Amino acid sequence: MFSLLHGWPQIIMKVAVIGAGNSGLISIKCCLDEGLEPTCYERSEDIGGLWRFTPEVESGRASIYESVVTNTSKEMMCYSDFPFPENFPNFLHNSKMLEYYKKFVEKFDLLKYIQFQTIVRSVKKHPSFSSTGQWEVTTEKNGKQDTTIFDAVLVCSGHHSDPYYPLEDFPGINTFKGEHFHSREYKNSKAFNGKRVVVVGMGNSGADIAVELSRTAAQVFLSTRRGSWVMSRVFEHGYPWDICFDTRFQNWLRNTLPTSFVIWLTEKKMNAWFDHANFGLQPRDSTQFKEPLFNDELPSRITCGYVVVKPDVTEFTETSLKFEDGTSVENIDVVIFATGYRFSFPFLDESIIKVKDNKISLYRNIFPENLEKPTLGVIGLIQPLGPIMSSSEIQARWVTRVFKGLCTLPPPDAIRKDIEKKKEIAMSRFGPRREHTIQVDYIEYLDELTTDIGCKPNILELLTKDPVLAFKIIFGPCTPAQFRLTGPGKWPIARKQIMTTWDRIMKPTKTRVVKSQDRSSMSVIFGVGGLCILALLLAVIMYKN
């Protein structure tokens, strides 16, 4: 396809986008923002990806249970120039997420770029790849296959569709006469009334399912190998947890203070709600910061006896399970394996992307390590300590500019060194477990990409020109609008969006207005003044280089 620029024809890059979920939708928009021509292939009948609930499990796509609610709040997870409606709750049911995506698609007229019920069968290098970087994408719809040549490919297929189901790790499972299945198959608690259930695995899904089943089942047991910190979505002063956690100041402290002190501080903070050791939940190894588990009800269900925490399963019998502490539970009807997922790319040859033990070598978690031309990127294959939506958006903004040649990659040697360095950092912070291989520091990761794009906020400059905004950026939540203040994609109302963040946080909960007690005006003045001085000092330290 051609366009005219200064009277001369310009070739418009054709980009294949695989998947119409969170990452796919924002990738379509970012392609359009950069003047590229996207074609999105979605295997199901509608948009939404992970967040589109269906009563039945669909092959090849993510499956969620009916009650799923977000673990990150709306102000942190919205697309940067498309906020959630103000009346939406801070944490959203999956139906609200789907509603948001549909509003987003309508606002930016994205539907015409999506081909539904179309499965991508293969993505292969074009014979001229070494010079053109082009790809042959073979798709199938209604039993008919078609191959199209694209200039670039964005893989947005997610990492929650291929269940990790290691039955071989559980001796005696073949003798068990009860029902067992992966949590991917779970939809609601209706079929479990009066049953004795064991949930194996204590991630977010495992804990959610255990809590939900505890209202209908006769008894629920929750088996965990390593334990986990449990956080409530409702954090300090009733604010969403990520509003308080994902700030530049807090992030700087966590990455600057001695590790031993950060670990001590983390344990103290986590145990402020309840003592995890007394509930059998204390992580086995607290030296690595695993993503915490978010559940507002689990401690209550445990203390009321509806959920009983057990250690790792060592053996199955016909009707019982044995655990590593020597105890056992009898007359078990159902076992649900909440053992997570593995990521795979069945449409790509291993010479392009190779996955081994849930590990993968991608530059900045996006570009395959040994690709001669940077024309294929993976969007959303990360697990940030923060919202995935805004992370995917920054990835897509950066990748589309790489496709256009506006951002460039370093030489191959530098790419390999960067990948190895990031792996070492991730290992030291999060540990070697398979479920942590794609974990990243949210703010650190976004700052790296937005520096290349040219849209990272310049706090030192803001301190001289707009100190109130600088204060919000340093001490307030690192919301997506921060990356629309300047540079490519600048959004005229980004400043207003940041300055009014707290109003939108409080609006859906403050439905009965209560008159606040008067506070000393002098205390407020001195407090704000002191914080401004502290903000200036910290900004100089954080950005001196």
Side-chain angles (χ1 to χ4, degrees):
M1 190 181 221
F2 295 85
S3 67
L4 291 177
L5 183 64
H6 305 303
W8 295 92
Q10 301 289 318
I11 297 176
I12 298 178
M13 290 185 71
K14 294 174 61 180
V15 182
V17 179
I18 304 174
N22 155 55
S23 298
L25 294 177
I26 194 61
S27 292
I28 298 171
K29 179 181 179 294
C30 289
C31 284
L32 296 172
D33 289 344
E34 292 295 343
L36 311 180
E37 182 185 335
T39 299
C40 178
Y41 298 112
E42 168 55 44
R43 68 182 298 140
S44 71
E45 62 186 19
D46 203 353
I47 65 169
L50 171 73
W51 291 103
R52 185 171 69 84
F53 170 79
T54 56
E56 304 295 331
V57 177
E58 296 180 4
S59 175
R61 66 176 295 266
S63 175
I64 57 174
Y65 37 98
E66 193 171 5
S67 60
V68 165
V69 174
T70 63
N71 288 331
T72 49
S73 64
K74 66 175 183 178
E75 289 301 310
M76 297 295 292
M77 68 187 297
C78 65
Y79 295 134
S80 59
D81 57 354
F82 190 73
F84 280 94
E86 289 188 0
N87 64 326
F88 272 33
N90 285 310
F91 293 96
L92 303 154
H93 183 259
N94 58 82
S95 59
K96 288 288 187 184
M97 288 297 299
L98 187 58
E99 182 181 343
Y100 172 78
Y101 287 135
K102 291 189 173 182
K103 289 177 183 289
F104 178 75
V105 166
E106 181 181 4
K107 168 72 174 179
F108 297 103
D109 195 21
L110 306 183
L111 201 61
K112 62 186 177 184
Y113 299 99
I114 305 173
Q115 296 185 21
F116 292 106
Q117 296 182 316
T118 305
I119 301 173
V120 175
R121 292 300 184 191
S122 70
V123 176
K124 298 179 180 179
K125 292 179 180 178
H126 188 271
S128 65
F129 181 83
S130 59
S131 59
T132 65
Q134 290 182 325
W135 299 87
E136 294 178 343
V137 178
T138 300
T139 58
E140 181 178 327
K141 183 173 184 177
N142 299 326
K144 181 181 178 181
Q145 291 197 355
D146 183 58
T147 299
T148 308
I149 297 174
F150 287 94
D151 300 300
V153 177
L154 288 172
V155 180
C156 309
S157 50
H159 53 95
H160 290 97
S161 58
D162 189 4
Y164 178 62
Y165 198 13
L167 293 181
E168 65 278 3
D169 292 346
F170 298 92
I173 183 66
N174 293 329
T175 67
F176 181 61
K177 291 186 176 180
E179 183 183 4
H180 66 83
F181 56 90
H182 191 272
S183 58
R184 166 180 164 78
E185 308 287 329
Y186 177 82
K187 291 297 180 178
N188 55 53
S189 63
K190 293 177 182 177
F192 301 91
N193 187 43
K195 294 187 176 182
R196 289 170 60 82
V197 183
V198 176
V199 179
V200 178
M202 203 181 74
N204 284 301
S205 294
D208 281 354
I209 292 170
V211 166
E212 185 167 279
L213 287 176
S214 71
R215 297 190 181 92
T216 56
Q219 183 64 62
V220 176
F221 301 92
L222 179 58
S223 168
T224 174
R225 180 175 296 175
R226 294 177 181 80
S228 178
W229 295 121
V230 180
M231 289 177 61
S232 172
R233 293 177 178 86
V234 183
F235 210 58
E236 294 173 342
H237 308 294
Y239 296 125
W241 76 269
D242 50 355
I243 292 294
C244 307
F245 183 87
D246 283 321
T247 73
R248 292 183 177 277
F249 175 64
Q250 291 282 353
N251 201 65
W252 176 78
L253 284 179
R254 286 191 293 270
N255 292 337
T256 304
L257 294 172
T259 303
S260 58
F261 180 73
V262 174
I263 292 170
W264 173 83
L265 202 62
T266 299
E267 290 192 10
K268 183 177 176 62
K269 191 68 177 177
M270 294 297 176
N271 283 324
W273 184 20
F274 67 94
D275 191 317
H276 284 63
N278 291 340
F279 282 67
L281 299 173
Q282 177 103 6
R284 179 176 292 180
D285 184 2
S286 58
T287 60
Q288 271 96 35
F289 189 77
K290 174 190 172 184
E291 180 185 18
L293 183 159
F294 293 95
N295 197 290
D296 306 297
E297 300 177 76
L298 182 60
S300 173
R301 303 311 286 177
I302 292 172
T303 202
C304 292
Y306 296 110
V307 174
V308 176
V309 178
K310 303 295 290 183
D312 194 21
V313 176
T314 57
E315 185 182 355
F316 280 76
T317 68
E318 290 185 352
T319 60
S320 66
L321 279 75
K322 298 179 181 179
F323 302 94
E324 66 177 1
D325 62 356
T327 62
S328 63
V329 291
E330 307 290 336
N331 302 317
I332 298 302
D333 300 296
V334 182
V335 177
I336 302 174
F337 288 90
T339 45
Y341 294 84
R342 55 192 172 194
F343 43 86
S344 60
F345 305 94
F347 46 82
L348 285 172
D349 188 81
E350 282 195 354
S351 62
I352 299 169
I353 295 181
K354 184 176 182 179
V355 180
K356 184 178 180 181
D357 299 326
N358 232 43
K359 296 177 182 177
I360 190 170
S361 289
L362 298 176
Y363 177 62
R364 293 188 174 175
N365 298 81
I366 298 171
F367 286 108
E369 179 179 4
N370 298 312
L371 206 58
E372 310 97 296
K373 298 281 186 179
T375 55
L376 181 144
V378 182
I379 305 298
L381 190 63
I382 53 173
Q383 190 168 302
L385 293 173
I388 182 65
M389 281 178 62
S390 47
S391 304
S392 296
E393 178 182 8
I394 294 299
Q395 286 183 320
R397 288 175 67 184
W398 180 64
V399 170
T400 50
R401 292 180 67 78
V402 171
F403 288 167
K404 286 188 69 176
L406 299 174
C407 294
T408 57
L409 302 191
D413 284 347
I415 287 177
R416 282 189 286 272
K417 288 179 181 177
D418 183 82
I419 291 174
E420 290 306 312
K421 179 183 177 182
K422 298 292 173 52
K423 285 181 179 178
E424 290 174 6
I425 293 173
M427 181 74 74
S428 65
R429 287 180 179 175
F430 311 120
R433 296 299 305 166
R434 63 178 304 281
E435 61 267 28
H436 302 154
T437 56
I438 55 175
Q439 203 147 0
V440 296
D441 182 298
Y442 172 66
I443 295 176
E444 189 177 88
Y445 182 71
L446 295 195
D447 277 353
E448 182 179 37
L449 294 180
T450 53
T451 297
D452 272 9
I453 297 171
C455 62
K456 177 186 173 183
N458 187 330
I459 297 180
L460 284 179
E461 182 179 319
L462 286 174
L463 280 168
T464 60
K465 295 182 177 179
D466 196 341
V468 175
L469 178 60
F471 176 86
K472 293 277 188 181
I473 290 175
I474 294 171
F475 291 101
C478 186
T479 57
Q482 288 194 12
F483 304 108
R484 290 286 183 180
L485 286 167
T486 187
K490 181 178 179 180
W491 190 33
I493 64 171
R495 183 187 187 278
K496 179 183 177 182
Q497 188 71 11
I498 295 168
M499 299 299 291
T500 55
T501 297
W502 293 100
D503 296 335
R504 291 187 304 279
I505 291 170
M506 291 184 287
K507 183 169 183 176
T509 58
K510 206 171 183 179
T511 53
R512 172 178 172 263
V513 179
V514 179
K515 185 177 180 180
S516 301
Q517 292 182 345
D518 293 333
R519 297 179 179 179
S520 170
S521 59
M522 289 303 294
S523 296
V524 173
I525 293 171
F526 282 119
V528 171
L531 286 174
C532 288
I533 294 171
L534 182 59
L536 178 60
L537 292 174
L538 286 171
V540 171
I541 295 171
M542 292 167 65
Y543 292 88
K544 63 181 180 180
N545 295 322

